[in-house]
Amino acid sequence: MAGNGSKRKTSPVNVMGRPSKIYKQDPYLGGAENGQPPAEDEQYFMEMDGEDRISLPPIAATADTAEWQATIEKVVRNVVSIHFCQTCSFDTDAAISSEATGFVVDAEKGYILTNRHVVGAGPFWGYCIFDNHEECDVYPVYRDPVHDFGILRFDPKAIKYMPLTALTLKPDLARVGVEIRVVGNDAGEKLSILSGVISRLDRNAPEYGEGYSDFNTNYIQAAAAASGGSSGSPVVNLDGHAVALQAGGRQDGAATDYFLPLDRPLRALECIRRGEAVPRGTIQTQWVIKPFDECRRLGLSSEWEAAIRKGFPKETGMLVAEIVLPEGPADQQLEEGDVLIKVNGELLTQFVRLDSILDTSVDKKVSLLVQRGGKDIEVELQVGDLHAITPDRFVTVAGGSFHNLSYQQARLYAIPVKGVYVCEAAGSFKFESTDSGWLIESVDQKKTPNLDAFIEVMSKIRDRARVVVTYKHVRDLHTLTTSIIYIDRHWSNKMRLAVRNDVTGVWDFTDLAEPLPAAPPVRCKADFARPDYVGHPAAADIIRSFVRVSCTMPLKLDGFPRARRVGFGLVINAEKGLVLVSRGIVPFDLCDLSLTIAESIIVEAKVVFLHPLANYAVIQYDPSLVDAPVQSAKLATEQIKQGAPTIFFGWNQNFRAVVTPTTVTDITTVAIPSNVSGPRYRAINLDAITVDTGLSAQCGSGVLVREDGTIEALWLNYLGERSPHSQKDVEYHLGLATPTLLPTLSQIQSDITPSLRILNIETNTVQMSQCRIMGVSESWISKVAEANPSRHQLFMVRKIDCAPPSGYDDQSLHEGDIILTLNDQLITRVTELDIMYDQEHLDALIVRRGEELRLRVPTIPTTDLNTTRAVIFCGAVLHAPHHAVRQQISKLHSEVYVSVRTRGSPAYQYGLAPTNFITAVNDAPTPSLTEFVREVRKVDDNTYFRLRVVTFDNVPWVATMKKCEHYFPTLEFVREDGVWRKKAFGTEGDGVGGMGGVGGGVDEMTGMDEAG
């Protein structure tokens, strides 16, 4: 995207230590040996302005002659800057928003030539800008299955203020020594002109590692040093003819670029002009150019070398089979290392001629003569349809997206072109460790060899069912992975088929099978394992009070970085099915909860209560469905002391129970650090317990238990800040004493939903030396020592939540105030602040600027702090600012807060970022989501509108954005009567023909990508 683009799209993430694809060695460059990647200066990039751009120093063109200046003046009118979104992950392409270049090749019909990695294999949404800054929408009409070119269509009538002309394609004029100019959108700039000289015509296509790569073609090499955004630029000669298409280059700063010859683009353009399909043939074999000396080592005879040199005196190499795909037309017929001599009796050394023969022989047979180890081998092969093994449809179900494995992916890993490929591993199909690369072998014990079989199987699976899925990764077909997944057909209720339409340039969506209702739950019987913990019978028995909690969140809310969390909860009332669990596992109530009891019984649960400060939630399951000796935990009523012996019982990362006797090392007041880049829930104003055992750092769930089985403290995981160095979330494992929980838990067990009120402050402790300097009297210092002999401390207001719209009154606390008493009770322990929970006002005695003041401080209700409504618009998730935002900001600019955005969406393309506030739509104020929804519904689809936005740092700006309901329908999630419901705007289900959910790309928050 503008200003933060990339040289090439990001490769899929490495999985579980599997090796990346082996880089191919270029025989002219040397480099890769023993399967290792080439040196950094031998890796290539696709030149496209996207995410994570690696900037190269632009090489300025030398002073041009009058002829060149005249040529460039004519050429620039044909060059366009393309701004586009690939709206969801598909095949080798991740969802992105980016910029590139193209040029008009037919002014009358409105055709633009650019790269295939710009047009992409999947859904595309974009527009182009001409040299005079006129703008019009563009739609794909063709993307080559293999070669790096694609054709976009625009409406010539939309360009009113400049005459349209087209560049003529002249592939035969690309010759060594020809001076050229690359005219394009270089490094995200509107127009850049770079000069160079063609130095080679016969290099192999550059290998970009994982992801899309061109092959089975020669590339042109020149010294030009174009950079990000120049993809699709015309390479022109002095006469103003396009002789090649900019495609890639070196990423080490060397002034070397790689251009695609225009022979095949010209053929495709001519077919499209005639209204014909573009036939493409294949024998599923990758060929590379190898020099004669290497061909001789492979077995090329001197007789055939002489014949080739005589027939093609300028040639220095021949085509050699590099990869022969298993189960393809050439399998068992050709072998890697075969030197191609003839095709249909014709001597052949050029990719262009090979492509021509195959493209005119679809569904026919061709004869090949190859040399293998000095022997002539003649084979007859059936030519397949290349389009048939290039996916043009995908299905979205249960949050994931799937299509048949493509020839591109199969070629990349030398595997058969078959199987169901997970192009968007999300929702129910969010497997561990990676976002892409999985092949589904079976679902619910039924084989899924292709997409049609997969659709048939998925259509018969009930909502909320748990089914067995087997799958492999394309990097490792030796290993079959088996998992049990939970099928979500209620949040992701549509099974939707998307089919590419090259006439309209958009993908058509069709709803398939309606979701089958969930099966009624059944009562199950089980018993708990009885681990033999020597010397700790109470610890062995406490296992009956633990259940495993799995929380799946269909939507990113409140800045929480994960879509799924698993941990353990403590049963506090077995008769009512009440379980206490960390808010690091259950952060909010828009979620699906599953509890596993006795490692045998799985039941659904719901959120009953979320504590606003103390990092715990209470959830509830139906105990009538559980026939197992679940035991209610006995919670201690007295505070645990520093230095006290206790037994640590925890659950480690492998979900195994571990036990050890230990000692309480410290009890100290802490506040979990805030996440600067994206506010999310954190615990504050709490006394944290630490213990003297290394197991405590390994366990995110557990308890501290006495010998008699009484629970003295919970052991919880606390989500902290994101590390700026590792970009990983920090989790703190700390103890929380049980007596502080009892008043609230007592209400819940009495079927009363607590309605807590809190002081909207964050405090930190101050020692007596500091208090004396700040004006606390000696008498109060003496009272503190008497009231709390173990810790001489008071509390200072460190931070106040942002003010309400009416502002703070003169009775409010200020930052820097030292709290002496609340309702005449001296406050020296953080637990003593709990007096606020049931009070509308507190009589406070404070010290401010060295003087004692009495205030009647209001408390605020916590019922408004939880998110109860979210709107998905143009790929952004919007909701009212949650509690963490209010804690970290001094002023709320509106109640429309951007929590997360989807890559490849309009929100991403036009720069609407997480933590922004939207204050107006087309100058109409939007103080809340209600006004926002009302205003955006007035905006017609595919039209621009204005947003007034304020950043988290109080910087106002104006964004222009184009609405895209087709790919990013407006949806709403609303909590009504304690139940979340998903609503759609428009007239067709989940939107106007678009994808359900949030689109299809990776969710992006500030400082966090989606994690497992």
Side-chain angles (χ1 to χ4, degrees):
M1 184 72 187
N4 64 345
S6 71
K7 291 302 184 183
R8 52 148 298 167
K9 289 172 275 188
T10 306
S11 297
V13 180
N14 199 356
V15 185
M16 298 163 58
R18 296 189 178 99
S20 298
K21 178 183 182 296
I22 297 175
Y23 286 74
K24 307 273 188 311
Q25 180 177 354
D26 189 304
Y28 298 95
L29 287 177
E33 297 179 2
N34 302 320
Q36 297 301 314
E40 184 177 334
D41 62 348
E42 293 165 3
Q43 297 185 27
Y44 315 120
F45 59 83
M46 289 181 180
E47 300 188 355
M48 183 171 64
D49 212 28
E51 296 104 14
D52 305 319
R53 183 177 63 198
I54 306 168
S55 295
L56 292 182
I59 305 299
T62 56
D64 280 327
T65 62
E67 292 90 345
W68 267 116
Q69 290 177 357
T71 296
I72 290 171
E73 285 178 6
K74 291 187 292 184
V75 169
V76 294
R77 293 197 294 268
N78 303 281
V79 178
V80 298
S81 172
I82 302 171
H83 300 247
F84 66 96
C85 295
Q86 293 175 5
T87 65
C88 66
S89 297
F90 186 87
D91 195 13
T92 59
D93 302 324
I96 61 166
S97 299
S98 191
E99 295 176 4
T101 306
F103 58 98
V104 178
V105 290
D106 192 318
E108 194 172 306
K109 295 186 176 181
Y111 292 139
I112 292 171
L113 181 64
T114 187
N115 288 125
R116 190 257 199 196
H117 68 262
V118 174
V119 178
F124 171 101
W125 181 69
Y127 62 93
C128 70
I129 299 175
F130 282 77
D131 183 54
N132 69 340
H133 289 268
E134 286 191 82
E135 176 185 326
C136 63
D137 294 336
V138 289
Y139 302 92
V141 295
Y142 182 75
R143 70 273 286 157
D144 195 79
V146 170
H147 301 320
D148 198 6
F149 74 91
I151 297 175
L152 300 172
R153 169 180 56 83
F154 71 98
D155 182 2
K157 296 178 182 178
I159 307 304
K160 302 175 181 178
Y161 303 106
M162 65 177 282
L164 284 175
T165 58
L167 288 184
T168 304
L169 305 186
K170 294 285 187 178
D172 55 312
L173 297 182
R175 302 188 184 101
V176 173
V178 170
E179 189 177 358
I180 50 92
R181 296 291 185 269
V182 181
V183 184
N185 173 32
D186 189 74
E189 299 295 332
K190 175 61 184 72
L191 184 66
S192 180
I193 301 165
L194 301 175
S195 62
V197 176
I198 293 176
S199 57
R200 280 181 59 187
L201 300 176
D202 59 349
R203 68 153 291 118
N204 284 304
E207 183 70 59
Y208 301 118
E210 295 179 341
Y212 169 75
S213 291
D214 199 348
F215 61 98
N216 281 354
T217 180
N218 59 296
Y219 262 61
I220 298 168
Q221 180 173 311
S227 56
S230 62
S231 284
S233 298
V235 180
V236 298
N237 66 3
L238 184 59
D239 295 326
H241 299 311
V243 299
L245 179 68
Q246 168 68 28
R250 297 277 289 272
Q251 75 169 24
D252 59 347
T256 304
D257 265 22
Y258 305 122
F259 308 140
L260 177 71
L262 293 178
D263 305 83
R264 308 318 290 166
L266 177 58
R267 170 184 174 269
L269 177 62
E270 290 171 346
C271 289
I272 293 170
R273 281 171 169 163
R274 295 192 298 267
E276 301 172 359
V278 183
R280 295 287 276 114
T282 181
I283 54 174
Q284 297 186 28
T285 301
Q286 177 180 346
W287 305 87
V288 293
I289 304 169
K290 289 188 180 292
F292 280 120
D293 59 321
E294 194 165 344
C295 291
R296 283 195 296 272
R297 294 195 294 271
L298 290 169
L300 176 65
S301 67
S302 57
E303 292 81 9
W304 278 121
E305 181 179 352
I308 294 292
R309 287 183 179 272
K310 181 179 179 181
F312 306 97
K314 293 185 179 181
E315 292 295 336
T316 59
M318 301 180 67
L319 300 184
V320 176
E322 174 85 347
I323 297 174
V324 179
L325 290 196
E327 303 180 25
D331 189 27
Q332 307 299 321
Q333 304 257 37
L334 296 178
E335 293 182 4
E336 290 79 4
D338 285 353
V339 181
L340 182 62
I341 306 295
K342 289 184 178 181
V343 178
N344 287 344
E346 174 187 341
L347 286 173
L348 192 148
T349 63
Q350 295 277 343
F351 279 117
V352 172
R353 182 57 187 151
L354 177 61
D355 257 1
S356 178
I357 294 172
L358 294 179
D359 290 347
T360 55
S361 304
V362 177
D363 296 329
K364 301 176 184 177
K365 291 188 176 181
V366 294
S367 62
L368 273 69
L369 175 65
V370 298
Q371 275 219 309
R372 183 183 305 158
K375 297 180 180 178
D376 287 358
I377 307 291
E378 191 162 0
V379 297
E380 190 174 65
L381 304 176
Q382 182 77 21
V383 179
D385 183 359
L386 189 51
H387 294 299
I389 54 176
T390 302
D392 61 356
R393 60 180 187 142
F394 67 93
V395 68
T396 301
V397 61
S401 297
F402 312 83
H403 58 68
N404 286 318
L405 183 69
S406 70
Y407 181 39
Q408 274 285 340
Q409 293 277 23
R411 191 276 318 178
L412 190 61
Y413 298 100
I415 59 178
V417 191
K418 65 178 184 180
V420 177
Y421 180 78
V422 186
C423 58
E424 190 72 65
S428 300
F429 290 87
K430 186 169 180 58
F431 302 131
E432 296 298 325
S433 304
T434 188
D435 289 329
S436 62
W438 299 108
L439 292 173
I440 303 294
E441 294 282 311
S442 70
V443 178
D444 197 21
Q445 316 291 353
K446 300 176 182 65
K447 292 288 186 181
T448 54
N450 53 51
L451 189 62
D452 291 330
F454 177 80
I455 292 172
E456 179 68 18
V457 171
M458 289 300 300
S459 67
K460 297 178 180 178
I461 298 176
R462 290 182 176 272
D463 182 29
R464 301 181 188 273
R466 287 174 172 80
V467 298
V468 177
V469 176
T470 60
Y471 50 96
K472 296 179 179 180
H473 199 273
V474 289
R475 292 197 197 98
D476 181 12
L477 295 186
H478 306 291
T479 304
L480 181 70
T481 305
T482 302
S483 295
I484 296 174
I485 65 172
Y486 170 82
I487 298 297
D488 168 21
R489 293 295 305 276
H490 47 282
W491 300 119
S492 302
N493 58 326
K494 298 290 186 182
M495 181 188 289
R496 180 156 288 182
L497 181 67
V499 180
R500 193 181 74 214
N501 187 333
D502 285 333
V503 176
T504 63
V506 298
W507 289 59
D508 299 326
F509 296 95
T510 305
D511 289 340
L512 302 178
E514 289 293 319
L516 299 177
V522 178
R523 180 179 172 87
C524 295
K525 184 177 181 178
D527 202 354
F528 288 88
R530 302 288 295 176
D532 185 14
Y533 297 122
V534 177
H536 304 294
D541 207 37
I542 199 66
I543 199 170
R544 293 167 49 201
S545 299
F546 276 98
V547 297
R548 191 162 76 200
V549 181
S550 175
C551 180
T552 303
M553 291 146 275
L555 193 65
K556 295 286 188 65
L557 294 180
D558 296 356
F560 194 75
R562 306 289 183 88
R564 184 181 302 161
R565 290 289 281 166
V566 179
F568 285 82
L570 182 71
V571 178
I572 57 174
N573 189 321
E575 292 182 0
K576 295 186 176 182
L578 295 173
V579 177
L580 192 150
V581 65
S582 167
R583 280 196 69 170
I585 297 169
V586 183
F588 45 79
D589 55 6
L590 177 54
C591 61
D592 288 337
L593 289 172
S594 299
L595 307 186
T596 303
I597 301 172
E599 299 182 357
S600 177
I601 305 171
I602 299 177
V603 293
E604 307 301 318
K606 64 179 181 179
V607 176
V608 174
F609 174 72
L610 297 165
H611 198 285
L613 303 176
N615 194 55
Y616 71 86
V618 177
I619 60 179
Q620 186 175 32
Y621 66 93
D622 184 354
S624 67
L625 299 175
V626 179
D627 184 3
V630 181
Q631 175 178 283
S632 300
K634 180 184 176 182
L635 304 183
T637 57
E638 295 181 0
Q639 293 282 351
I640 192 170
K641 304 294 184 182
Q642 184 176 3
T646 187
I647 299 172
F648 178 85
F649 179 98
W651 298 89
N652 64 19
Q653 296 173 343
N654 297 320
F655 302 145
R656 298 284 298 168
V658 292
V659 178
T660 186
T662 188
T663 303
V664 176
T665 55
D666 194 14
I667 303 174
T668 185
T669 302
V670 301
I672 300 301
S674 59
N675 187 51
V676 177
S677 58
R680 64 234 189 152
Y681 176 83
R682 64 191 179 97
I684 62 171
N685 302 341
L686 62 102
D687 272 346
I689 300 170
T690 55
V691 292
D692 185 24
T693 172
L695 292 178
S696 63
Q698 303 173 21
C699 301
S701 304
V703 291
L704 302 181
V705 58
R706 296 177 190 160
E707 290 287 356
D708 63 358
T710 302
I711 306 297
E712 297 182 288
L714 304 174
W715 196 256
L716 304 175
N717 67 312
Y718 295 75
L719 181 62
E721 73 281 15
R722 170 155 287 208
S723 168
H725 304 293
S726 66
Q727 293 302 307
K728 293 183 178 179
D729 294 313
V730 178
E731 287 195 1
Y732 299 89
H733 299 162
L734 301 167
L736 179 64
T738 55
T740 61
L741 315 176
L742 296 178
T744 302
L745 297 184
S746 175
Q747 293 184 57
I748 295 173
Q749 295 190 68
S750 300
D751 299 325
I752 300 172
T753 301
S755 181
L756 304 184
R757 302 181 69 87
I758 61 172
L759 291 169
N760 57 341
I761 61 172
E762 181 179 338
T763 64
N764 62 286
T765 59
V766 285
Q767 306 307 314
M768 292 304 97
S769 60
Q770 299 166 305
C771 291
R772 186 174 282 111
I773 296 170
M774 298 179 74
V776 177
S777 68
E778 293 297 326
S779 62
W780 281 112
I781 291 175
S782 299
K783 291 176 183 178
V784 169
E786 183 180 345
N788 190 349
S790 61
R791 284 187 284 178
H792 298 176
Q793 63 184 22
L794 288 171
F795 293 92
M796 183 181 74
V797 178
R798 175 183 171 274
K799 179 74 172 66
I800 299 178
D801 296 357
C802 66
S806 58
Y808 288 121
D809 56 31
D810 58 2
Q811 297 296 301
S812 299
L813 293 169
H814 292 184
E815 291 168 357
D817 288 350
I818 294 178
I819 301 172
L820 297 176
T821 68
L822 295 175
N823 286 359
D824 297 325
Q825 177 182 338
L826 183 60
I827 305 297
T828 66
R829 298 176 177 87
V830 75
T831 55
E832 292 164 351
L833 291 172
D834 293 353
I835 192 175
M836 63 184 170
Y837 287 151
D838 57 359
Q839 303 288 325
E840 290 191 14
H841 290 83
L842 292 169
D843 293 321
L845 178 62
I846 66 166
V847 174
R848 179 182 297 169
R849 292 190 291 273
E851 296 182 2
E852 292 185 11
L853 295 177
R854 286 197 174 273
L855 304 173
R856 185 167 170 76
V857 180
T859 59
I860 63 169
T862 58
T863 51
D864 299 334
L865 298 181
N866 294 326
T867 299
T868 58
R869 184 185 185 189
V871 173
I872 303 169
F873 177 73
C874 284
V877 178
L878 313 172
H879 56 69
H882 50 287
H883 191 200
V885 175
R886 298 167 188 266
Q887 289 173 328
Q888 290 180 228
I889 202 169
S890 58
K891 178 183 178 182
L892 287 184
H893 304 286
S894 80
E895 293 286 327
V896 185
Y897 174 80
V898 182
S899 180
V900 62
R901 63 181 178 180
T902 305
R903 294 190 179 182
S905 67
Y908 200 102
Q909 183 176 31
Y910 293 100
L912 187 64
T915 73
N916 285 173
F917 294 85
I918 299 175
T919 60
V921 175
N922 286 338
D923 296 327
T926 55
S928 71
L929 285 173
T930 300
E931 289 83 3
F932 177 82
V933 170
R934 182 187 65 218
E935 294 303 320
V936 296
R937 293 189 72 181
K938 297 176 183 177
V939 178
D940 293 333
D941 193 24
N942 207 41
T943 60
Y944 279 103
F945 58 95
R946 298 184 309 282
L947 293 176
R948 292 199 175 275
V949 184
V950 181
T951 70
F952 201 80
D953 296 325
N954 304 321
V955 179
W957 64 288
V958 176
T960 58
M961 185 181 297
K962 185 181 287 187
K963 195 175 183 182
C964 181
E965 288 288 329
H966 186 76
Y967 292 124
F968 296 93
T970 303
L971 303 173
E972 185 176 29
F973 287 75
V974 182
R975 192 175 191 270
E976 299 173 329
D977 301 323
V979 178
W980 279 93
R981 292 181 175 86
K982 178 182 173 184
K983 298 181 178 180
F985 297 97
T987 58
E988 300 182 27
D990 276 358
V992 189
M995 304 175 194
V998 193
V1002 176
D1003 291 340
E1004 188 211 64
M1005 301 177 182
T1006 298
M1008 59 189 79
D1009 290 340
E1010 180 165 338

